[in-house]
Amino acid sequence: MGAAGVPLFDHHAHSLRRVQPDTPEAFRAHFTESDASEIVRGHLGWSLFYRRALADLGRYFGCPPAEDAILTARARRPFGELTRAMFEDAGIGALLVDPGFRAADHYDLAALRGMLPCPAGELLRLEVLAERLIPESDGWPDLRERFAAEVRAAAGRVRGLKTIIAYRTGLDVRNWDAASLAAAFRQTRDAAARGRTRLASKPLLDTLLWTALDIAAEHRLPVQVHTGFGDRDLDLRLANPLWLRPAFEHPPFRPITFVLLHSYPYVREAAWLAHVYPHVAMDLSLTVPFAAHAATDAIVEALGLAPASKVLLATDAFSIPELFWLAARHAREALDAALSIIERRGFAGPEDREAIARRLLWDNAVAIYGDLAKNAR
Ligand SMILES: [Zn+2]
């Protein structure tokens, strides 16, 4: 026994697209973080993750492992039914999503819940909230007040907060004086009035994150922090979770559990942080499945320093049900392979396998976010 049969608490994932891809290129774009058409057209066919995905999906649909055949097979099934079947087959037992992700062309939480065979909880995506509030705010102090009020109001409803500051201005969060904040607000609101609504102002992002962390501490809410690889436009140097040390060392933030998302390639750094700080955990979503066979090595490395009670798996899947299905299956497969390696090295016995698998796939998430099935919200 090992990971097989253990349900996945998918604590980091996104909603599904209302309009599903119907051309090979549109479908393929979901399997890379690159937006370069040369990558999508010329190289993705040689991505081992994508080649394996086509082989697995061909078997699932009972068709040749080719894009056209898979697109035809998936289009034959009503979308709600396909989603339900793939989630059931993937053994996903609970899900957390942030409805802020490309909200215009994705199902909202209520519609998503209607399609899923498992409970789905909500996370609050901080940067999307700030972007919504900027045009209606009168100045920096007003923005900060509105933002704090909305985070407080959400605290009773959501399972945690989530930040992508690593992908906007980096994790080297600093203190900013009032004059810099006022100037940054004016620039940002002017840009928003001209249609540039993507918030990328370091003074505003840094200070709003700290404001949100104060509220998370008050309400004992977990906070997911994207680290490592992810959005195509990030500066990977500034996505190193070691930058977060001031937040981890800040005594008022001790009631927060920080969950470092993705972690790759900073798996060792994340494992060190989870090793030393009681309130830091790490996740290997997106690493599974995008890093293909290397996800096994990431799990082996994480479990080197981080206790098994601090490492989580998830899909970080988005838009199409196939990504959930593939990522959940690959997570169990990579975990089993990692446990075999660890066992051969003499650091876990066959009797530990299921307990460790249960920790990474389910129990650690329940300990952090609560049991969705018990008090669904
Ligand atoms: Zn993510």
Side-chain angles (χ1 to χ4, degrees), residues 12 14 162 164 167 226 229-230 261-262 283 285-286 316:
H12 177 42
H14 304 280
K162 177 181 204 168
I164 50 157
Y167 302 162
H226 277 85
F229 83 133
L261 298 177
H262 306 177
D283 154 84
S285 64
L286 202 65
D316 198 4

Side-chain angles (χ1 to χ4, degrees), residues 181-250:
L181 285 159
F185 175 81
R186 280 193 302 274
Q187 271 175 13
T188 304
R189 198 182 48 186
D190 291 351
R194 291 193 306 270
R196 289 195 45 216
T197 52
R198 185 179 181 278
L199 175 56
S201 157
K202 187 161 177 54
L204 298 188
L205 286 165
D206 285 356
T207 314
L208 290 174
L209 177 61
W210 218 255
T211 303
L213 292 177
D214 279 328
I215 299 166
E218 268 168 49
H219 294 267
R220 308 189 79 84
L221 274 178
V223 177
Q224 297 186 342
V225 187
H226 277 85
T227 66
F229 83 133
D231 293 358
R232 175 241 162 277
D233 52 354
L234 68 92
D235 182 339
L236 191 55
R237 293 169 298 183
L238 297 174
N240 186 331
L242 295 180
W243 284 110
L244 294 166
R245 183 169 181 269
F248 302 152
E249 293 280 344
H250 188 54

